[in-house]
PDB file of all heavy atoms in Angstrom:
ATOM      1  N   GLU A  80     -27.273  36.061   7.278  1.00 85.00           N
ATOM      2  CA  GLU A  80     -27.510  35.056   6.250  1.00 85.00           C
ATOM      3  C   GLU A  80     -27.013  35.519   4.895  1.00 85.00           C
ATOM      4  O   GLU A  80     -26.537  34.715   4.092  1.00 85.00           O
ATOM      5  CB  GLU A  80     -28.997  34.744   6.196  1.00 85.00           C
ATOM      6  CG  GLU A  80     -29.358  33.552   5.312  1.00 85.00           C
ATOM      7  CD  GLU A  80     -30.837  33.232   5.363  1.00 85.00           C
ATOM      8  OE1 GLU A  80     -31.561  33.889   6.161  1.00 85.00           O
ATOM      9  OE2 GLU A  80     -31.267  32.320   4.607  1.00 85.00           O
ATOM     10  N   ARG A  81     -27.100  36.839   4.634  1.00 82.00           N
ATOM     11  CA  ARG A  81     -26.603  37.370   3.351  1.00 82.00           C
ATOM     12  C   ARG A  81     -25.094  37.290   3.255  1.00 82.00           C
ATOM     13  O   ARG A  81     -24.546  37.000   2.204  1.00 82.00           O
ATOM     14  CB  ARG A  81     -27.038  38.837   3.200  1.00 82.00           C
ATOM     15  CG  ARG A  81     -28.510  39.029   2.957  1.00 82.00           C
ATOM     16  CD  ARG A  81     -28.756  40.368   2.276  1.00 82.00           C
ATOM     17  NE  ARG A  81     -28.199  41.476   3.020  1.00 82.00           N
ATOM     18  CZ  ARG A  81     -28.893  42.268   3.856  1.00 82.00           C
ATOM     19  NH1 ARG A  81     -30.165  42.041   4.047  1.00 82.00           N
ATOM     20  NH2 ARG A  81     -28.297  43.262   4.485  1.00 82.00           N
ATOM     21  N   ASN A  82     -24.424  37.548   4.350  1.00 81.00           N
ATOM     22  CA  ASN A  82     -22.963  37.597   4.322  1.00 81.00           C
ATOM     23  C   ASN A  82     -22.300  36.231   4.529  1.00 81.00           C
ATOM     24  O   ASN A  82     -21.068  36.138   4.502  1.00 81.00           O
ATOM     25  CB  ASN A  82     -22.462  38.559   5.416  1.00 81.00           C
ATOM     26  CG  ASN A  82     -22.975  39.976   5.225  1.00 81.00           C
ATOM     27  OD1 ASN A  82     -23.276  40.376   4.109  1.00 81.00           O
ATOM     28  ND2 ASN A  82     -23.122  40.706   6.314  1.00 81.00           N
ATOM     29  N   LYS A  83     -23.131  35.202   4.731  1.00 81.00           N
ATOM     30  CA  LYS A  83     -22.552  33.881   5.051  1.00 81.00           C
ATOM     31  C   LYS A  83     -21.721  33.345   3.911  1.00 81.00           C
ATOM     32  O   LYS A  83     -20.614  32.819   4.140  1.00 81.00           O
ATOM     33  CB  LYS A  83     -23.698  32.918   5.388  1.00 81.00           C
ATOM     34  CG  LYS A  83     -23.211  31.548   5.839  1.00 81.00           C
ATOM     35  CD  LYS A  83     -24.393  30.664   6.213  1.00 81.00           C
ATOM     36  CE  LYS A  83     -23.918  29.311   6.691  1.00 81.00           C
ATOM     37  NZ  LYS A  83     -25.075  28.427   7.077  1.00 81.00           N
ATOM     38  N   PHE A  84     -22.169  33.482   2.708  1.00 78.00           N
ATOM     39  CA  PHE A  84     -21.459  32.930   1.538  1.00 78.00           C
ATOM     40  C   PHE A  84     -20.903  34.022   0.619  1.00 78.00           C
ATOM     41  O   PHE A  84     -20.526  33.734  -0.501  1.00 78.00           O
ATOM     42  CB  PHE A  84     -22.386  32.004   0.740  1.00 78.00           C
ATOM     43  CG  PHE A  84     -22.892  30.835   1.526  1.00 78.00           C
ATOM     44  CD1 PHE A  84     -24.187  30.821   2.000  1.00 78.00           C
ATOM     45  CD2 PHE A  84     -22.046  29.756   1.804  1.00 78.00           C
ATOM     46  CE1 PHE A  84     -24.645  29.734   2.730  1.00 78.00           C
ATOM     47  CE2 PHE A  84     -22.511  28.685   2.534  1.00 78.00           C
ATOM     48  CZ  PHE A  84     -23.808  28.658   3.009  1.00 78.00           C
ATOM     49  N   MET A  85     -20.866  35.227   1.084  1.00 81.00           N
ATOM     50  CA  MET A  85     -20.315  36.311   0.285  1.00 81.00           C
ATOM     51  C   MET A  85     -18.784  36.265   0.299  1.00 81.00           C
ATOM     52  O   MET A  85     -18.181  35.861   1.288  1.00 81.00           O
ATOM     53  CB  MET A  85     -20.801  37.660   0.781  1.00 81.00           C
ATOM     54  CG  MET A  85     -22.281  37.927   0.547  1.00 81.00           C
ATOM     55  SD  MET A  85     -22.834  39.544   1.121  1.00 81.00           S
ATOM     56  CE  MET A  85     -21.912  40.609   0.022  1.00 81.00           C
ATOM     57  N   SER A  86     -18.183  36.657  -0.789  1.00 80.00           N
ATOM     58  CA  SER A  86     -16.710  36.637  -0.893  1.00 80.00           C
ATOM     59  C   SER A  86     -16.254  37.804  -1.761  1.00 80.00           C
ATOM     60  O   SER A  86     -16.939  38.192  -2.727  1.00 80.00           O
ATOM     61  CB  SER A  86     -16.263  35.310  -1.526  1.00 80.00           C
ATOM     62  OG  SER A  86     -14.860  35.296  -1.685  1.00 80.00           O
ATOM     63  N   ASN A  87     -15.091  38.334  -1.402  1.00 80.00           N
ATOM     64  CA  ASN A  87     -14.445  39.354  -2.218  1.00 80.00           C
ATOM     65  C   ASN A  87     -12.975  38.998  -2.380  1.00 80.00           C
ATOM     66  O   ASN A  87     -12.534  37.914  -1.942  1.00 80.00           O
ATOM     67  CB  ASN A  87     -14.630  40.745  -1.623  1.00 80.00           C
ATOM     68  CG  ASN A  87     -14.189  40.795  -0.171  1.00 80.00           C
ATOM     69  OD1 ASN A  87     -13.304  40.033   0.252  1.00 80.00           O
ATOM     70  ND2 ASN A  87     -14.811  41.676   0.609  1.00 80.00           N
ATOM     71  N   GLN A  88     -12.224  39.857  -2.966  1.00 78.00           N
ATOM     72  CA  GLN A  88     -10.836  39.529  -3.226  1.00 78.00           C
ATOM     73  C   GLN A  88     -10.047  39.358  -1.934  1.00 78.00           C
ATOM     74  O   GLN A  88      -9.201  38.436  -1.832  1.00 78.00           O
ATOM     75  CB  GLN A  88     -10.186  40.618  -4.088  1.00 78.00           C
ATOM     76  CG  GLN A  88      -8.793  40.238  -4.590  1.00 78.00           C
ATOM     77  CD  GLN A  88      -8.241  41.236  -5.567  1.00 78.00           C
ATOM     78  OE1 GLN A  88      -8.850  42.271  -5.827  1.00 78.00           O
ATOM     79  NE2 GLN A  88      -7.077  40.908  -6.139  1.00 78.00           N
ATOM     80  N   ASP A  89     -10.307  40.210  -0.949  1.00 84.00           N
ATOM     81  CA  ASP A  89      -9.575  40.086   0.322  1.00 84.00           C
ATOM     82  C   ASP A  89      -9.875  38.764   1.029  1.00 84.00           C
ATOM     83  O   ASP A  89      -8.946  38.088   1.509  1.00 84.00           O
ATOM     84  CB  ASP A  89      -9.939  41.270   1.248  1.00 84.00           C
ATOM     85  CG  ASP A  89      -9.425  42.592   0.717  1.00 84.00           C
ATOM     86  OD1 ASP A  89      -8.467  42.569  -0.091  1.00 84.00           O
ATOM     87  OD2 ASP A  89      -9.966  43.641   1.107  1.00 84.00           O
ATOM     88  N   SER A  90     -11.158  38.400   1.108  1.00 83.00           N
ATOM     89  CA  SER A  90     -11.493  37.161   1.786  1.00 83.00           C
ATOM     90  C   SER A  90     -10.979  35.948   1.011  1.00 83.00           C
ATOM     91  O   SER A  90     -10.563  34.942   1.609  1.00 83.00           O
ATOM     92  CB  SER A  90     -13.012  37.058   1.947  1.00 83.00           C
ATOM     93  OG  SER A  90     -13.653  37.075   0.678  1.00 83.00           O
ATOM     94  N   TYR A  91     -10.983  36.033  -0.306  1.00 83.00           N
ATOM     95  CA  TYR A  91     -10.458  34.948  -1.121  1.00 83.00           C
ATOM     96  C   TYR A  91      -8.950  34.741  -0.880  1.00 83.00           C
ATOM     97  O   TYR A  91      -8.473  33.609  -0.709  1.00 83.00           O
ATOM     98  CB  TYR A  91     -10.735  35.214  -2.599  1.00 83.00           C
ATOM     99  CG  TYR A  91     -10.097  34.187  -3.530  1.00 83.00           C
ATOM    100  CD1 TYR A  91     -10.670  32.939  -3.705  1.00 83.00           C
ATOM    101  CD2 TYR A  91      -8.929  34.497  -4.218  1.00 83.00           C
ATOM    102  CE1 TYR A  91     -10.097  31.999  -4.553  1.00 83.00           C
ATOM    103  CE2 TYR A  91      -8.360  33.577  -5.083  1.00 83.00           C
ATOM    104  CZ  TYR A  91      -8.936  32.327  -5.238  1.00 83.00           C
ATOM    105  OH  TYR A  91      -8.357  31.397  -6.064  1.00 83.00           O
ATOM    106  N   ILE A  92      -8.227  35.861  -0.849  1.00 87.00           N
ATOM    107  CA  ILE A  92      -6.765  35.767  -0.623  1.00 87.00           C
ATOM    108  C   ILE A  92      -6.466  35.219   0.767  1.00 87.00           C
ATOM    109  O   ILE A  92      -5.584  34.392   0.959  1.00 87.00           O
ATOM    110  CB  ILE A  92      -6.113  37.140  -0.840  1.00 87.00           C
ATOM    111  CG1 ILE A  92      -6.204  37.537  -2.323  1.00 87.00           C
ATOM    112  CG2 ILE A  92      -4.649  37.112  -0.390  1.00 87.00           C
ATOM    113  CD1 ILE A  92      -5.657  38.919  -2.618  1.00 87.00           C
ATOM    114  N   LYS A  93      -7.237  35.651   1.771  1.00 89.00           N
ATOM    115  CA  LYS A  93      -7.022  35.140   3.134  1.00 89.00           C
ATOM    116  C   LYS A  93      -7.317  33.647   3.220  1.00 89.00           C
ATOM    117  O   LYS A  93      -6.609  32.892   3.905  1.00 89.00           O
ATOM    118  CB  LYS A  93      -7.928  35.900   4.095  1.00 89.00           C
ATOM    119  CG  LYS A  93      -7.500  37.357   4.343  1.00 89.00           C
ATOM    120  CD  LYS A  93      -8.445  38.045   5.294  1.00 89.00           C
ATOM    121  CE  LYS A  93      -8.035  39.486   5.535  1.00 89.00           C
ATOM    122  NZ  LYS A  93      -8.946  40.202   6.455  1.00 89.00           N
ATOM    123  N   GLU A  94      -8.346  33.202   2.519  1.00 88.00           N
ATOM    124  CA  GLU A  94      -8.670  31.763   2.521  1.00 88.00           C
ATOM    125  C   GLU A  94      -7.558  30.959   1.864  1.00 88.00           C
ATOM    126  O   GLU A  94      -7.177  29.893   2.367  1.00 88.00           O
ATOM    127  CB  GLU A  94      -9.996  31.546   1.794  1.00 88.00           C
ATOM    128  CG  GLU A  94     -10.476  30.108   1.786  1.00 88.00           C
ATOM    129  CD  GLU A  94     -11.774  29.913   1.057  1.00 88.00           C
ATOM    130  OE1 GLU A  94     -12.333  30.939   0.601  1.00 88.00           O
ATOM    131  OE2 GLU A  94     -12.231  28.765   0.935  1.00 88.00           O
ATOM    132  N   ARG A  95      -7.050  31.459   0.757  1.00 89.00           N
ATOM    133  CA  ARG A  95      -5.950  30.778   0.076  1.00 89.00           C
ATOM    134  C   ARG A  95      -4.694  30.737   0.950  1.00 89.00           C
ATOM    135  O   ARG A  95      -3.994  29.724   1.008  1.00 89.00           O
ATOM    136  CB  ARG A  95      -5.656  31.465  -1.250  1.00 89.00           C
ATOM    137  CG  ARG A  95      -6.724  31.266  -2.303  1.00 89.00           C
ATOM    138  CD  ARG A  95      -6.771  29.837  -2.776  1.00 89.00           C
ATOM    139  NE  ARG A  95      -5.498  29.395  -3.296  1.00 89.00           N
ATOM    140  CZ  ARG A  95      -5.173  28.133  -3.538  1.00 89.00           C
ATOM    141  NH1 ARG A  95      -6.046  27.171  -3.264  1.00 89.00           N
ATOM    142  NH2 ARG A  95      -4.004  27.808  -4.036  1.00 89.00           N
ATOM    143  N   MET A  96      -4.417  31.850   1.628  1.00 93.00           N
ATOM    144  CA  MET A  96      -3.237  31.893   2.510  1.00 93.00           C
ATOM    145  C   MET A  96      -3.370  30.882   3.650  1.00 93.00           C
ATOM    146  O   MET A  96      -2.382  30.239   4.046  1.00 93.00           O
ATOM    147  CB  MET A  96      -3.071  33.310   3.054  1.00 93.00           C
ATOM    148  CG  MET A  96      -2.609  34.336   2.025  1.00 93.00           C
ATOM    149  SD  MET A  96      -2.530  36.001   2.693  1.00 93.00           S
ATOM    150  CE  MET A  96      -1.314  35.794   3.993  1.00 93.00           C
ATOM    151  N   SER A  97      -4.561  30.717   4.176  1.00 93.00           N
ATOM    152  CA  SER A  97      -4.781  29.754   5.255  1.00 93.00           C
ATOM    153  C   SER A  97      -4.546  28.336   4.761  1.00 93.00           C
ATOM    154  O   SER A  97      -3.929  27.505   5.471  1.00 93.00           O
ATOM    155  CB  SER A  97      -6.203  29.912   5.806  1.00 93.00           C
ATOM    156  OG  SER A  97      -6.472  28.939   6.789  1.00 93.00           O
ATOM    157  N   LYS A  98      -5.026  28.015   3.561  1.00 93.00           N
ATOM    158  CA  LYS A  98      -4.826  26.670   3.021  1.00 93.00           C
ATOM    159  C   LYS A  98      -3.342  26.398   2.757  1.00 93.00           C
ATOM    160  O   LYS A  98      -2.830  25.318   3.053  1.00 93.00           O
ATOM    161  CB  LYS A  98      -5.627  26.517   1.727  1.00 93.00           C
ATOM    162  CG  LYS A  98      -7.135  26.440   1.943  1.00 93.00           C
ATOM    163  CD  LYS A  98      -7.868  26.220   0.626  1.00 93.00           C
ATOM    164  CE  LYS A  98      -9.373  26.128   0.830  1.00 93.00           C
ATOM    165  NZ  LYS A  98     -10.100  25.904  -0.448  1.00 93.00           N
ATOM    166  N   VAL A  99      -2.647  27.384   2.180  1.00 94.00           N
ATOM    167  CA  VAL A  99      -1.228  27.196   1.898  1.00 94.00           C
ATOM    168  C   VAL A  99      -0.430  27.059   3.184  1.00 94.00           C
ATOM    169  O   VAL A  99       0.504  26.264   3.273  1.00 94.00           O
ATOM    170  CB  VAL A  99      -0.711  28.380   1.049  1.00 94.00           C
ATOM    171  CG1 VAL A  99       0.806  28.334   0.921  1.00 94.00           C
ATOM    172  CG2 VAL A  99      -1.343  28.376  -0.329  1.00 94.00           C
ATOM    173  N   ASP A 100      -0.812  27.802   4.223  1.00 95.00           N
ATOM    174  CA  ASP A 100      -0.137  27.699   5.521  1.00 95.00           C
ATOM    175  C   ASP A 100      -0.289  26.302   6.107  1.00 95.00           C
ATOM    176  O   ASP A 100       0.665  25.738   6.650  1.00 95.00           O
ATOM    177  CB  ASP A 100      -0.691  28.751   6.457  1.00 95.00           C
ATOM    178  CG  ASP A 100       0.062  28.801   7.785  1.00 95.00           C
ATOM    179  OD1 ASP A 100       1.293  29.020   7.753  1.00 95.00           O
ATOM    180  OD2 ASP A 100      -0.571  28.605   8.846  1.00 95.00           O
ATOM    181  N   GLY A 101      -1.491  25.735   5.986  1.00 94.00           N
ATOM    182  CA  GLY A 101      -1.686  24.354   6.478  1.00 94.00           C
ATOM    183  C   GLY A 101      -0.863  23.343   5.676  1.00 94.00           C
ATOM    184  O   GLY A 101      -0.309  22.395   6.264  1.00 94.00           O
ATOM    185  N   GLN A 102      -0.757  23.529   4.379  1.00 94.00           N
ATOM    186  CA  GLN A 102       0.062  22.618   3.556  1.00 94.00           C
ATOM    187  C   GLN A 102       1.531  22.739   3.934  1.00 94.00           C
ATOM    188  O   GLN A 102       2.254  21.711   3.973  1.00 94.00           O
ATOM    189  CB  GLN A 102      -0.156  22.943   2.090  1.00 94.00           C
ATOM    190  CG  GLN A 102      -1.550  22.631   1.571  1.00 94.00           C
ATOM    191  CD  GLN A 102      -1.749  23.073   0.133  1.00 94.00           C
ATOM    192  OE1 GLN A 102      -0.868  23.664  -0.478  1.00 94.00           O
ATOM    193  NE2 GLN A 102      -2.931  22.803  -0.404  1.00 94.00           N
ATOM    194  N   ILE A 103       2.020  23.949   4.216  1.00 96.00           N
ATOM    195  CA  ILE A 103       3.419  24.135   4.600  1.00 96.00           C
ATOM    196  C   ILE A 103       3.702  23.449   5.928  1.00 96.00           C
ATOM    197  O   ILE A 103       4.731  22.772   6.078  1.00 96.00           O
ATOM    198  CB  ILE A 103       3.750  25.633   4.654  1.00 96.00           C
ATOM    199  CG1 ILE A 103       3.698  26.259   3.254  1.00 96.00           C
ATOM    200  CG2 ILE A 103       5.125  25.853   5.290  1.00 96.00           C
ATOM    201  CD1 ILE A 103       3.877  27.765   3.252  1.00 96.00           C
ATOM    202  N   LYS A 104       2.816  23.590   6.875  1.00 94.00           N
ATOM    203  CA  LYS A 104       3.014  22.940   8.182  1.00 94.00           C
ATOM    204  C   LYS A 104       3.041  21.425   8.032  1.00 94.00           C
ATOM    205  O   LYS A 104       3.864  20.723   8.673  1.00 94.00           O
ATOM    206  CB  LYS A 104       1.918  23.364   9.140  1.00 94.00           C
ATOM    207  CG  LYS A 104       2.002  24.825   9.591  1.00 94.00           C
ATOM    208  CD  LYS A 104       0.884  25.165  10.559  1.00 94.00           C
ATOM    209  CE  LYS A 104       0.977  26.630  11.002  1.00 94.00           C
ATOM    210  NZ  LYS A 104      -0.119  26.992  11.924  1.00 94.00           N
ATOM    211  N   LYS A 105       2.169  20.898   7.205  1.00 94.00           N
ATOM    212  CA  LYS A 105       2.140  19.436   6.986  1.00 94.00           C
ATOM    213  C   LYS A 105       3.430  18.967   6.340  1.00 94.00           C
ATOM    214  O   LYS A 105       3.981  17.911   6.704  1.00 94.00           O
ATOM    215  CB  LYS A 105       0.932  19.087   6.125  1.00 94.00           C
ATOM    216  CG  LYS A 105       0.736  17.604   5.910  1.00 94.00           C
ATOM    217  CD  LYS A 105      -0.513  17.343   5.100  1.00 94.00           C
ATOM    218  CE  LYS A 105      -0.724  15.839   4.881  1.00 94.00           C
ATOM    219  NZ  LYS A 105      -1.948  15.560   4.082  1.00 94.00           N
ATOM    220  N   GLN A 106       3.936  19.739   5.390  1.00 95.00           N
ATOM    221  CA  GLN A 106       5.173  19.356   4.718  1.00 95.00           C
ATOM    222  C   GLN A 106       6.365  19.428   5.658  1.00 95.00           C
ATOM    223  O   GLN A 106       7.284  18.641   5.588  1.00 95.00           O
ATOM    224  CB  GLN A 106       5.405  20.266   3.502  1.00 95.00           C
ATOM    225  CG  GLN A 106       6.585  19.842   2.637  1.00 95.00           C
ATOM    226  CD  GLN A 106       6.412  18.472   2.045  1.00 95.00           C
ATOM    227  OE1 GLN A 106       5.307  18.098   1.619  1.00 95.00           O
ATOM    228  NE2 GLN A 106       7.481  17.694   2.005  1.00 95.00           N
ATOM    229  N   ILE A 107       6.350  20.391   6.583  1.00 94.00           N
ATOM    230  CA  ILE A 107       7.426  20.520   7.565  1.00 94.00           C
ATOM    231  C   ILE A 107       7.473  19.277   8.460  1.00 94.00           C
ATOM    232  O   ILE A 107       8.546  18.718   8.748  1.00 94.00           O
ATOM    233  CB  ILE A 107       7.237  21.794   8.401  1.00 94.00           C
ATOM    234  CG1 ILE A 107       7.537  23.038   7.537  1.00 94.00           C
ATOM    235  CG2 ILE A 107       8.168  21.788   9.611  1.00 94.00           C
ATOM    236  CD1 ILE A 107       7.248  24.342   8.251  1.00 94.00           C
ATOM    237  N   VAL A 108       6.308  18.817   8.908  1.00 90.00           N
ATOM    238  CA  VAL A 108       6.254  17.613   9.743  1.00 90.00           C
ATOM    239  C   VAL A 108       6.744  16.385   8.965  1.00 90.00           C
ATOM    240  O   VAL A 108       7.507  15.558   9.503  1.00 90.00           O
ATOM    241  CB  VAL A 108       4.822  17.401  10.260  1.00 90.00           C
ATOM    242  CG1 VAL A 108       4.706  16.082  11.004  1.00 90.00           C
ATOM    243  CG2 VAL A 108       4.410  18.555  11.164  1.00 90.00           C
ATOM    244  N   THR A 109       6.344  16.256   7.705  1.00 91.00           N
ATOM    245  CA  THR A 109       6.783  15.128   6.898  1.00 91.00           C
ATOM    246  C   THR A 109       8.292  15.136   6.687  1.00 91.00           C
ATOM    247  O   THR A 109       8.963  14.097   6.809  1.00 91.00           O
ATOM    248  CB  THR A 109       6.075  15.150   5.536  1.00 91.00           C
ATOM    249  OG1 THR A 109       4.654  15.151   5.725  1.00 91.00           O
ATOM    250  CG2 THR A 109       6.456  13.948   4.690  1.00 91.00           C
ATOM    251  N   THR A 110       8.847  16.300   6.394  1.00 92.00           N
ATOM    252  CA  THR A 110      10.314  16.413   6.210  1.00 92.00           C
ATOM    253  C   THR A 110      11.041  16.109   7.487  1.00 92.00           C
ATOM    254  O   THR A 110      12.087  15.444   7.468  1.00 92.00           O
ATOM    255  CB  THR A 110      10.639  17.818   5.715  1.00 92.00           C
ATOM    256  OG1 THR A 110       9.902  18.105   4.530  1.00 92.00           O
ATOM    257  CG2 THR A 110      12.123  17.940   5.411  1.00 92.00           C
ATOM    258  N   ARG A 111      10.539  16.575   8.623  1.00 88.00           N
ATOM    259  CA  ARG A 111      11.202  16.323   9.898  1.00 88.00           C
ATOM    260  C   ARG A 111      11.227  14.824  10.222  1.00 88.00           C
ATOM    261  O   ARG A 111      12.249  14.294  10.668  1.00 88.00           O
ATOM    262  CB  ARG A 111      10.460  17.097  10.987  1.00 88.00           C
ATOM    263  CG  ARG A 111      11.146  17.080  12.362  1.00 88.00           C
ATOM    264  CD  ARG A 111      10.307  17.836  13.358  1.00 88.00           C
ATOM    265  NE  ARG A 111      10.119  19.223  12.898  1.00 88.00           N
ATOM    266  CZ  ARG A 111       9.079  19.960  13.246  1.00 88.00           C
ATOM    267  NH1 ARG A 111       8.120  19.465  14.008  1.00 88.00           N
ATOM    268  NH2 ARG A 111       8.995  21.215  12.825  1.00 88.00           N
ATOM    269  N   ASP A 112      10.110  14.137   9.982  1.00 87.00           N
ATOM    270  CA  ASP A 112      10.092  12.689  10.225  1.00 87.00           C
ATOM    271  C   ASP A 112      11.043  11.948   9.271  1.00 87.00           C
ATOM    272  O   ASP A 112      11.680  10.967   9.688  1.00 87.00           O
ATOM    273  CB  ASP A 112       8.672  12.159  10.028  1.00 87.00           C
ATOM    274  CG  ASP A 112       7.727  12.643  11.123  1.00 87.00           C
ATOM    275  OD1 ASP A 112       8.205  13.092  12.169  1.00 87.00           O
ATOM    276  OD2 ASP A 112       6.479  12.584  10.887  1.00 87.00           O
ATOM    277  N   PHE A 113      11.148  12.410   8.041  1.00 89.00           N
ATOM    278  CA  PHE A 113      12.076  11.780   7.097  1.00 89.00           C
ATOM    279  C   PHE A 113      13.522  11.948   7.558  1.00 89.00           C
ATOM    280  O   PHE A 113      14.322  10.996   7.476  1.00 89.00           O
ATOM    281  CB  PHE A 113      11.887  12.390   5.727  1.00 89.00           C
ATOM    282  CG  PHE A 113      12.869  11.885   4.699  1.00 89.00           C
ATOM    283  CD1 PHE A 113      12.705  10.635   4.106  1.00 89.00           C
ATOM    284  CD2 PHE A 113      13.973  12.656   4.335  1.00 89.00           C
ATOM    285  CE1 PHE A 113      13.621  10.163   3.179  1.00 89.00           C
ATOM    286  CE2 PHE A 113      14.884  12.182   3.399  1.00 89.00           C
ATOM    287  CZ  PHE A 113      14.704  10.957   2.813  1.00 89.00           C
TER     288      PHE A 113
END
Side-chain angles (χ1 to χ4, degrees):
E80 189 176 356
R81 289 202 305 262
N82 300 333
K83 185 177 181 180
F84 299 104
M85 292 181 64
S86 177
N87 53 29
Q88 188 173 5
D89 292 338
S90 61
Y91 174 77
I92 292 176
K93 289 180 180 179
E94 183 181 357
R95 290 292 302 166
M96 289 176 61
S97 177
K98 289 183 179 180
V99 171
D100 186 57
Q102 293 175 357
I103 292 174
K104 290 180 179 179
K105 184 177 180 180
Q106 187 62 40
I107 289 175
V108 174
T109 303
T110 305
R111 187 181 301 154
D112 291 342
F113 175 78

